[in-house]
């Protein structure tokens, strides 16, 4: 009888909490209407408990399940990002998920399961575990984006996302097969050791194929150009709360998984030279397409979809630097990006709420005309989120961009940093355009006042606080995310 | 002899794989898929993994394929399907793109290889139920447990998306 070694089960407590809450919500939500009402409170408290459990693991880097997972600070920072994002998404869903009726149980439970998938993806040190985490996260999102299945846009979003997502998963799986062929191991650190030893003399063809396929697969997941074609339609068709979750937590999870693979398995200097330029190319293409196409959008939700592609471009600059400073910049950027983007999508979701009809799919700019006078606080919050997305101090977006461009300059990628600054300036046009509509255009007609739910207001408040705090006092977080990998 | 046999099976696998995506009749696609999965089972046998080969046949060629056949029969798709209408750019580009990817992978596979230390010779219990079970509950315990969450998610998704009556 062989028993596994030390399992350190306490390290997966946050995941167990979230999964158990997900199952409980599933059971509650399928019942009669009163329990469906309780489901969202349960989801919220489960997420809060998981946050506390994750924070309790802080400072004690631990492996669990014989090294299948590692709960280091890199993983814990990202886990907190996912949980905060999940919690705020639950708050934004308080009203919008009501239209789902009994399906709201499934909605909240899939959201929680998705978060668990993200946590496993970023904590996994084994290609098998990473793949499973990616699948749990992706499949939950396919379903969530199509949860309004009586609407054409929603079905289209789910189908597109599913087909292209499954396709990209094949690339990752194929890449894993090649990497296994090159190194004979699925463990990331072990692969890194074997490839690193060999890289001094030769680079392996299998390794190149595996690395290339994995990069393509992850580029799909983070919606980098030219693998971005699914993102605008999916972001548009999914419920707005879920779109915000996809744009923030999913992006953070995909970047986390990518960094984990790159810096554990492909960190030998000779190998870094092979993937650095690839990401530089992806970064430039992503910034160009994301920003330029966003200029032409007149639907706010679609505009933010393209803007989220553009932000993936800024993050890819930091990946292209292939340095530890780049990783630090990415983590800071992901945290600040999470707050401002969640907030912006939250405002869009609240404004898109129509009385009695659930959520509308049209978020035309014209609806924002005069919002600054009809809903001054909401418009003020939106203005701050948009300024932060542009990268104007004293907001989190400015500090995030500052750290990323500084990492690029520090590693002699001055050209990339200059391009990043130029495209940030271009992005100011479409972000400020929304602000112009809110404050300088006359409202089309009276009586379109969006009703703000209390939970939604709290969600916006948290995002706002995060955006401002990280902009004014960035050093706290900057200190936390140093030397993680 | 064994190498030659393996090579022949590899060709069968590739040919049946192509038929899965290229033939227009869904039943032919399906039968090709069965052949493809069966050749994968033979690969496992050649590598000494009898248990995995048996599982491959039972689960894929057995259970999953039966479901496929049922669905296709129920949907009454026996006639040929129209070729998909893609955009013009896709029609021109798909073949060169696929060939370029294939060429790149072949090039990579023929390229230099890292000399790995020879793996220890497989013990007498290699590929046995005991060995597979042992690995499943030691090295891959977390993955094994976590798959259950994946199955829950898939099941919930199937119910959410396919439940007949909306409330």
């Amino acid at each position: 009888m062989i028993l596994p070694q030390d399992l350190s089960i306490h390290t997966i407590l946050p995941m167990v909490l979230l999964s158990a809450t997900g199952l409980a919500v599933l059971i509650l939500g399928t019942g009669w209407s009163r329990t469906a009402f309780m489901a969202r409170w349960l989801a919220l408290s489960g997420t809060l408990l998981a946050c506390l459990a994750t924070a309790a693991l802080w400072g004690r880097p631990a492996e669990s399940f014989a090294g299948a997972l590692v709960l280091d600070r890199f993983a814990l920072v990202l886990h907190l990002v996912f949980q905060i994002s999940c919690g705020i998404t639950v708050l934004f869903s308080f009203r919008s998920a009501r239209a789902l009726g009994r399906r709201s149980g499934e909605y909240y439970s899939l959201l929680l399961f998705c978060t668990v998938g993200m946590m496993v993806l970023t904590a996994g040190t084994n290609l098998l575990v990473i793949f499973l985490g990616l699948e749990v996260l992706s499949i939950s999102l396919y379903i969530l984006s199509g949860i309004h299945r009586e609407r054409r846009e929603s079905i289209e979003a789910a189908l597109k996302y599913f087909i292209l997502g499954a396709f990209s998963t094949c690339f990752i799986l194929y890449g894993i097969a090649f990497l296994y062929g090159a190194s004979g191991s699925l463990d990331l650190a072990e692969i890194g050791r074997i490839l690193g030893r060999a890289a001094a003399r030769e680079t392996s063809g299998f390794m190149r194929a595996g690395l290339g396929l994995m990069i393509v697969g992850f580029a799909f997941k983070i919606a980098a150009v030219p693998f971005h074609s699914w993102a605008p339609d999916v972001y548009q068709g999914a419920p707005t709360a879920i779109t915000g979750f996809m744009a923030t937590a999913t992006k953070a999870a995909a970047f986390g998984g990518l960094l984990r693979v790159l810096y554990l398995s492909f960190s030998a200097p000779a190998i870094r030279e092979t993937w650095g330029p690839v990401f530089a190319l992806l970064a430039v293409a992503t910034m160009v397409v994301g920003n330029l196409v966003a200029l032409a959008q007149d639907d706010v939700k679609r505009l933010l979809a393209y803007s989220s592609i553009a932000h993936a471009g800024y993050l890819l600059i930091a990946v292209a630097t292939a340095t530890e400073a780049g990783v630090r910049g990415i983590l800071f950027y992901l945290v600040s990006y999470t707050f401002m983007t969640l907030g912006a999508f939250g405002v869009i979701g609240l404004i898109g709420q129509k009385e009695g009809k659930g959520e509308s799919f049209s978020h035309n700019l014209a609806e924002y005309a005069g919002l600054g006078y009809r809903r001054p606080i909401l418009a003020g919050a939106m203005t701050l989120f948009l300024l932060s997305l542009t990268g104007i101090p004293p907001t989190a977006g400015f500090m995030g961009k500052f750290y990323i461009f500084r990492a690029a300059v520090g590693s002699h990628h001055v050209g990339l940093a200059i391009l990043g600054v130029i495209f940030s300036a271009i992005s100011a046009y479409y972000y400020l355009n929304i602000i112009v509509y809110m404050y300088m255009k006359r409202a089309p007609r009276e009586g379109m006042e969006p009703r703000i739910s209390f939970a939604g207001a709290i969600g916006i408040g948290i995002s706002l606080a995060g955006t401002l705090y990280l902009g004014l006092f960035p050093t706290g977080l900057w200190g936390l995310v140093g030397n993680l990998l | 002899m064994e190498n030659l046999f393996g090579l022949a099976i590899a060709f069968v696998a590739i040919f049946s794989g192509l038929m899965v995506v290229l033939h227009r009749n869904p039943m032919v696609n399906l039968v090709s898929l069965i052949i493809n999965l069966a050749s994968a089972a033979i690969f496992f046998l050649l590598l000494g993994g009898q248990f995995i080969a048996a599982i491959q046949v039972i689960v894929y060629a057995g259970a999953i394929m039966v479901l496929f056949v049922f669905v296709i029969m129920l949907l009454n798709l026996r006639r040929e399907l129209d070729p998909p209408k893609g955009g013009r750019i896709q029609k021109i580009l798909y073949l060169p793109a696929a060939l370029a990817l294939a060429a790149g992978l072949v090039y990579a596979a023929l390229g230099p290889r890292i000399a790995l230390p020879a793996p220890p010779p497989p013990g007498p219990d290699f590929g046995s139920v005991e060995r597979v079970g042992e690995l499943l509950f030691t090295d891959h315990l977390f993955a094994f447990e976590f798959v259950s969450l994946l199955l829950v998610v898939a099941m919930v998704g199937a119910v959410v998306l396919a439940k007949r009556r909306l409330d």
Side-chain angles (χ1 to χ4, degrees):
Chain A
M1 183 71 189
I2 300 160
L3 277 172
Q5 308 82 342
D6 179 26
L7 289 183
S8 311
I9 294 204
H10 67 278
T11 53
I12 61 161
L13 181 65
M15 299 177 199
V16 172
L17 276 173
L18 280 177
S19 312
T21 315
L23 289 175
V25 165
L26 194 63
I27 295 164
L28 267 183
T30 44
W32 53 98
S33 58
R34 186 172 296 276
T35 52
F37 171 77
M38 277 164 61
R40 56 196 195 181
W41 287 106
L42 192 61
L44 194 62
S45 40
T47 315
L48 269 177
L49 277 180
C51 263
L52 292 178
T54 307
L57 291 173
W58 189 265
R60 296 181 281 177
E63 290 192 345
S64 66
F65 282 89
L69 294 175
V70 57
L71 277 297
D72 53 4
R73 280 193 296 157
F74 176 79
L76 292 178
V77 167
L78 284 171
H79 288 186
L80 285 172
V81 170
F82 307 147
Q83 286 152 6
I84 290 170
S85 182
C86 174
I88 296 179
T89 306
V90 172
L91 285 174
F92 286 146
S93 307
F94 261 47
R95 178 164 297 171
S96 59
R98 252 188 226 164
L100 290 169
R102 283 188 187 169
R103 268 175 302 159
S104 64
E106 281 99 331
Y107 174 91
Y108 288 118
S109 67
L110 284 171
L111 191 64
L112 294 168
F113 292 150
C114 187
T115 311
V116 177
M118 291 168 176
M119 291 165 68
V120 171
L121 166 62
T122 47
T125 56
N126 175 311
L127 284 171
L128 195 65
V129 174
I130 287 183
F131 177 74
L132 284 173
L134 193 66
E135 276 303 271
V136 168
L137 134 78
S138 307
I139 291 179
S140 314
L141 282 179
Y142 303 149
I143 304 157
L144 281 173
S145 57
I147 197 132
H148 286 294
R149 53 175 250 228
E150 64 282 1
R151 305 200 189 176
R152 254 193 84 240
E153 296 91 335
S154 200
I155 295 170
E156 184 193 338
L159 196 66
K160 261 189 189 159
Y161 197 18
F162 174 65
I163 290 177
L164 286 176
F167 190 59
S168 73
T169 303
C170 292
F171 275 95
I172 291 183
L173 207 50
Y174 207 8
I176 290 176
F178 268 105
L179 282 182
Y180 185 67
S183 64
S185 173
L186 282 173
D187 184 70
L188 287 177
E190 180 67 20
I191 294 174
R193 268 194 292 281
I194 290 167
L195 294 181
R197 259 205 316 265
R201 286 165 286 140
E202 61 193 14
T203 50
S204 147
F206 269 34
M207 181 212 87
R208 278 169 185 263
L211 177 59
L213 288 165
M214 300 254 316
I215 290 177
V216 170
F218 274 109
F220 260 108
K221 299 284 176 203
I222 58 181
V225 176
F227 310 106
H228 68 292
S229 53
W230 57 271
D233 289 333
V234 174
Y235 281 19
Q236 176 112 43
T240 307
I242 295 302
T243 309
F245 185 67
M246 276 199 280
T248 56
T250 311
K251 195 157 285 197
F255 267 103
L258 180 68
L259 290 177
R260 182 76 86 184
V261 172
L262 286 178
Y263 281 83
L264 277 182
S265 296
F266 301 103
S267 61
I271 304 177
R272 284 191 195 198
E273 283 166 20
T274 61
W275 53 262
V278 176
F279 284 105
L281 265 178
L282 280 176
V284 173
T286 308
M287 283 189 298
V288 170
V289 172
N291 279 308
L292 294 188
V293 181
L295 288 176
Q297 304 303 319
D298 56 1
D299 184 293
V300 179
K301 201 170 164 190
R302 212 173 168 80
L303 189 153
L304 277 191
Y306 279 104
S307 123
S308 108
I309 293 176
H311 282 274
Y314 306 134
L315 283 159
L316 284 170
I317 292 181
V319 181
T321 62
T323 57
E324 269 66 23
V327 176
R328 204 172 176 185
I330 291 174
L331 280 172
F332 187 92
Y333 199 95
L334 282 174
V335 177
S336 49
Y337 173 79
T338 297
F339 283 116
M340 58 201 187
T341 307
L342 266 181
F345 275 111
V347 173
I348 293 180
L350 291 178
I351 292 175
Q353 252 351 276
K354 298 284 178 289
E355 265 320 299
K357 278 197 299 183
E359 204 185 317
S360 89
F361 278 97
S362 143
H363 301 271
N364 200 287
L365 255 179
E367 286 181 34
Y368 290 73
L371 193 75
Y373 305 103
R374 290 183 283 140
R375 282 276 164 196
I377 297 174
L378 196 63
M382 185 68 169
T383 306
L384 213 102
F385 295 137
L386 291 171
L387 289 178
S388 180
L389 284 166
T390 322
I392 290 172
T395 54
F398 168 75
M399 289 318 295
K401 276 186 181 157
F402 170 75
Y403 286 131
I404 279 191
F405 296 153
R406 194 174 72 172
V409 172
S411 62
H412 308 292
H413 289 78
V414 182
L416 279 178
I418 293 175
L419 273 177
V421 172
I422 291 176
F423 279 105
S424 303
I426 293 176
S427 75
Y429 173 79
Y430 54 82
Y431 290 129
L432 295 183
N433 194 23
I434 303 177
I435 299 177
V436 167
Y437 262 85
M438 288 194 299
Y439 288 101
M440 298 177 191
K441 301 260 177 180
R442 195 175 281 277
R445 57 177 189 279
E446 295 300 313
M448 280 181 53
E449 309 285 298
R451 291 251 316 268
I452 313 295
S453 64
F454 183 62
I458 291 178
I460 298 220
I462 296 172
S463 317
L464 200 60
T467 308
L468 276 176
Y469 178 79
L470 291 177
L472 293 170
F473 310 103
T475 42
L477 179 64
W478 182 246
L480 280 185
V481 296
N483 298 322
L484 293 191
L485 274 175
Chain B
M1 185 61 203
E2 206 181 289
N3 268 341
L4 210 62
F5 183 62
L7 210 59
I9 295 297
F11 273 108
V12 172
I14 292 173
F15 180 75
S16 58
L18 283 174
M19 290 302 276
V20 174
V21 286
L22 292 180
H23 204 280
R24 281 208 208 147
N25 187 332
M27 282 316 285
V28 177
N29 299 150
L30 203 61
V31 174
S32 310
L33 189 55
I34 296 179
I35 296 173
N36 188 279
L37 293 171
S39 35
I42 296 177
F43 284 136
F44 285 129
L45 266 187
L46 288 177
L47 293 171
Q50 305 92 345
F51 176 64
I52 301 284
I55 290 290
Q56 168 87 3
V57 170
I58 294 168
V59 174
Y60 283 95
I64 292 181
M65 291 317 294
V66 170
L67 284 179
F68 268 112
V69 175
F70 263 119
V71 169
I72 288 190
M73 290 303 194
L74 285 174
L75 292 177
N76 202 14
L77 281 177
R78 265 162 299 176
R79 66 186 172 80
E80 292 199 347
L81 296 172
D82 293 330
K85 297 182 188 64
R88 188 169 293 169
I89 302 172
Q90 279 90 333
K91 262 184 195 161
I92 299 169
L93 278 184
Y94 85 98
L95 202 57
L99 286 178
L101 179 63
L105 289 180
V106 169
Y107 175 76
L110 294 178
R113 232 173 265 175
I114 299 170
L116 293 176
D125 62 343
F126 181 78
S128 66
V129 185
E130 290 86 357
R131 189 83 188 102
V132 173
E134 197 187 306
L135 278 177
L136 211 54
F137 284 99
T138 53
D139 288 5
H140 298 294
L141 178 62
F142 182 78
F144 175 67
E145 297 288 351
F146 189 57
V147 164
S148 51
L149 188 70
L150 183 59
L151 292 178
V152 170
V153 168
M155 223 152 53
V156 171
V159 172
V160 168
L161 294 180
K163 193 164 57 176
R164 180 166 296 217
R165 204 173 56 84
L166 286 174
D167 42 13

